[in-house]
Amino acid sequence: MKYILERLVDGEIDINEAERLINADNILEFNEVAKFDSKRKNRTGFPEAVFAQSKEYEDLLLIIKKYMQSNNDNLIVTRLSKERYENILNDLGENSFVFEYNRRAQILIIRKEIVDKPTIAKIGIMTAGTSDINIAEEARVIVEEGGCEAITSYDVGVAGIHRLFPQIARMVEENVRAIIVCAGMEGALPSVVAGLVDVPVIAVPTSVGYGVGEGGRVALDAMLQSCAPGIAVVNIDNGFGAGVFTLTIVNSD
């Protein structure tokens, strides 16, 4: 972008040509396989991630290789099975990249080097049950990659609501800036949490449930219908989206 702006200042190109070149530079193309948005972090504060599920392995591997060759930023690969991670590790391990894989979250972060970053805020993450932890872990990986410290408390749902209050108190003492709450079944936990704290609550319905609650739609509807103010709701099982939205809140100051 600096080169384009220098050409504009020097009169080599006009403003329309500069806009066209900048827009073209925002896309990193890999032939017909992918058009990677390499400048998303510059625009939104968080880089694009690669959604691995349903991609052909050869295409996924090509995207990772091309990105790591042309970028200095870390690469996040979401919804990546353990088997595929092991294949990637086998195919790319000789490149001296640093691989961090969270089995529960099914997220891989590939780094060229490990760089210590200061903590910008603390974020609370809660689940109603242990079956919701995989989605919570997806959110945790994202907020930590964004420079936050995650304060987690799992399995504190309303079926045993006495478990919740000490954990809420701990998060208040830790001065968390927001709380991500993952819940399936009837999806009641975010409403309870939002009624007890003065920070934003990001509700994540999970697909945990059976009968009418199967697939997470009941939890989603309950969270959207909550009478407790201060709740934002993301899509079913969208721990990634919850993490990015929370980072947006933290970085908006």
Side-chain angles (χ1 to χ4, degrees):
M1 183 179 294
K2 181 179 179 181
Y3 172 70
I4 296 171
L5 293 176
E6 287 176 344
R7 293 182 63 195
L8 175 64
V9 170
D10 291 341
E12 296 179 20
I13 57 175
D14 61 21
I15 188 67
N16 293 326
E17 178 69 3
E19 181 183 24
R20 186 186 67 79
L21 291 173
I22 289 173
N23 287 336
D25 189 52
N26 282 342
I27 301 292
L28 181 62
E29 295 198 31
F30 305 146
N31 299 321
E32 297 302 317
V33 176
K35 294 177 175 60
F36 205 96
D37 187 357
S38 62
K39 299 299 191 296
R40 182 175 297 185
K41 185 175 182 179
N42 294 339
R43 300 194 314 273
T44 69
F46 198 81
E48 183 174 11
V50 176
F51 182 71
Q53 187 176 320
S54 77
K55 283 184 172 64
E56 292 288 338
Y57 177 74
E58 291 76 14
D59 292 343
L60 177 62
L61 189 63
L62 176 62
I63 292 170
I64 293 172
K65 284 181 177 179
K66 293 292 187 180
Y67 181 88
M68 297 306 293
Q69 289 170 2
S70 56
N71 271 271
N72 291 320
D73 288 333
N74 303 332
L75 178 62
I76 300 171
V77 184
T78 67
R79 302 299 167 98
L80 181 71
S81 68
K82 185 174 183 293
E83 180 183 2
R84 281 188 156 192
Y85 161 64
E86 291 173 346
N87 289 337
I88 290 171
L89 188 62
N90 183 62
D91 289 332
L92 296 180
E94 73 279 1
N95 289 281
S96 300
F97 298 137
V98 180
F99 296 86
E100 295 181 12
Y101 181 68
N102 185 303
R103 178 181 55 82
R104 273 184 157 170
Q106 293 195 320
I107 287 184
L108 171 63
I109 298 178
I110 307 176
R111 311 178 192 278
K112 290 189 174 178
E113 60 181 345
I114 297 178
V115 179
D116 291 332
K117 297 181 291 186
T119 299
I120 60 175
K122 294 180 180 181
I123 302 298
I125 304 179
M126 292 182 155
T127 73
T130 55
S131 297
D132 306 310
I133 291 177
N134 60 323
I135 303 303
E137 282 291 289
E138 185 175 66
R140 181 181 69 81
V141 171
I142 296 305
V143 299
E144 289 180 345
E145 182 65 12
C148 293
E149 178 184 349
I151 309 296
T152 61
S153 182
Y154 296 159
D155 194 26
V156 291
V158 298
I161 200 167
H162 60 284
R163 302 171 297 179
L164 174 64
F165 302 119
Q167 302 306 318
I168 289 287
R170 179 168 70 99
M171 291 191 179
V172 171
E173 289 173 359
E174 291 282 357
N175 194 31
V176 298
R177 291 282 306 280
I179 301 177
I180 297 170
V181 184
C182 304
M185 302 293 283
E186 83 281 27
L189 185 59
S191 295
V192 177
V193 173
L196 297 171
V197 299
D198 62 353
V199 297
V201 171
I202 298 86
V204 188
T206 71
S207 52
V208 174
Y210 51 86
V212 296
E214 186 175 5
R217 185 55 193 257
V218 166
L220 172 62
D221 290 345
M223 294 173 187
L224 290 171
Q225 185 60 44
S226 174
C227 63
I231 294 180
V233 185
V234 298
N235 202 1
I236 298 168
D237 290 341
N238 191 9
F240 174 84
V244 173
F245 181 68
T246 305
L247 290 173
T248 302
I249 293 173
V250 168
N251 290 320
S252 62
D253 290 346

